[in-house]
Each structure stands twice: as structure tokens, then as C-alpha cells.
Amino acid sequence: VLIATAFVISHLLIYLTGKSDSLSANYIPLLILFLGVFLSNILFKKNMDNIAVFSELFGNGFKTICLVCLFMIVWILISIQIFPDIKTIDIEIAKQSMISAGYTNVELQEGILVLENTNKYYLGKIQLVFKVYFAIGIIASLISSLLFKTPKSS
């Protein structure tokens, strides 16, 4: 819950400071997520009297990232209702990205129409959670499990 709260606060700060289009600012929540999974596995191992095998640590990290992803999906649904201009900002960022990628005017208009559809916009944001946040969390869980597992005694 603390990781999800820190994650939401970082997203809020990025939005409120107007740094939504800054690539480096958008890495901050990912860093918080990565470090949060590491911290979760450290605390889990401490609670297990500093004896934890890889599968236990990975399982803890997996559960942690699943909970964070669920919180993020709820946050996405709530935040768009609280801050409706987030959608406008996201569409503008996507438009700039498509222009720099060399999309034609027809492709650009079709892409913007898809984003303006509320249901598809929500699905795109939720897909982002699973593609990026979940993947980062699994990688963090894997790395932290390898680093913090109790070595086998001979």
C-alpha cells in the first residue's frame, strides 16, 4: 500500500508541476516502483528471520506488484474523473509523438479519434499498467529475489 501511495503521489506531483511531457520526470514513478519491490523483499526476508529462498522472495515481489497494479488501475479510473484535463494532456503528448514519428495527417487524425474515445482511452491507460509497470515490477522482483535469497549452506 505504501508503494502504491508513493507511486500515486509521484504521478500527482508530475501532473501538478506540469512535467507530464518530460521523459525524465516520468521515470520517477518507475524508479519508485522498482525500489518499492526491493524494499518489500528486504522486509519480507527480515520477517522470515533472514531466511528466505528465491521462490518465497519472488512470490512476495509478485504479490506486491499485483497489488500495486490493482491500486494503479483504480487510481487511473479515479484520476481521470478528478483531473479531466489529463486526457487532453495525454492526447497532446501522443499527437506530438506521432508527428515526430512521421505519421501522415490521415493516420494522425485516426490516432487522435481513437484516443478521444473514452473507453479506448481507459483501456490504453490500463494496458500501460500491465505492459510497463507490471513488467518493471516482475524484473525488480526477479533481481531482488536473486540478490536477497539465503545462500545454500553446505
Side-chain angles (χ1 to χ4, degrees):
V1 175
L2 290 175
I3 299 167
T5 304
F7 205 56
V8 167
I9 289 171
S10 69
H11 277 281
L12 267 175
L13 289 174
I14 290 169
Y15 167 73
L16 293 174
T17 58
K19 299 291 184 188
S20 297
D21 59 345
S22 169
L23 187 61
S24 57
N26 285 311
Y27 281 119
I28 293 170
L30 297 177
L31 182 63
I32 289 170
L33 178 64
F34 201 86
L35 294 175
V37 172
F38 264 69
L39 182 62
S40 173
N41 274 347
I42 290 170
L43 293 175
F44 178 77
K45 185 175 178 182
K46 261 189 189 171
N47 286 338
M48 300 294 290
D49 295 326
N50 284 325
I51 301 171
V53 295
F54 174 83
S55 60
E56 293 171 330
L57 289 166
F58 185 78
N60 177 68
F62 186 81
K63 291 174 199 169
T64 301
I65 195 60
C66 286
L67 281 172
V68 170
C69 283
L70 285 175
F71 278 108
M72 287 311 298
I73 290 170
V74 170
W75 168 246
I76 287 169
L77 299 175
I78 291 171
S79 69
I80 294 171
Q81 301 304 316
I82 297 172
F83 308 108
D85 58 323
I86 286 178
K87 185 176 176 181
T88 307
I89 293 168
D90 283 346
I91 290 172
E92 188 59 36
I93 292 170
K95 185 177 179 180
Q96 295 303 321
S97 176
M98 292 188 319
I99 289 170
S100 66
Y103 281 67
T104 65
N105 283 338
V106 173
E107 292 171 328
L108 185 65
Q109 292 304 320
E110 287 175 1
I112 299 302
L113 285 175
V114 167
L115 287 174
E116 287 175 346
N117 179 330
T118 302
N119 291 336
K120 290 183 181 175
Y121 177 76
Y122 281 128
L123 288 175
K125 294 292 270 186
I126 291 170
Q127 181 185 15
L128 173 73
V129 167
F130 286 113
K131 280 174 64 177
V132 178
Y133 302 157
F134 194 74
I136 294 289
I138 292 298
I139 292 168
S141 180
L142 181 65
I143 293 170
S144 64
S145 298
L146 288 170
L147 290 175
F148 302 128
K149 69 180 180 178
T150 304
K152 292 182 181 179
S153 58
S154 301

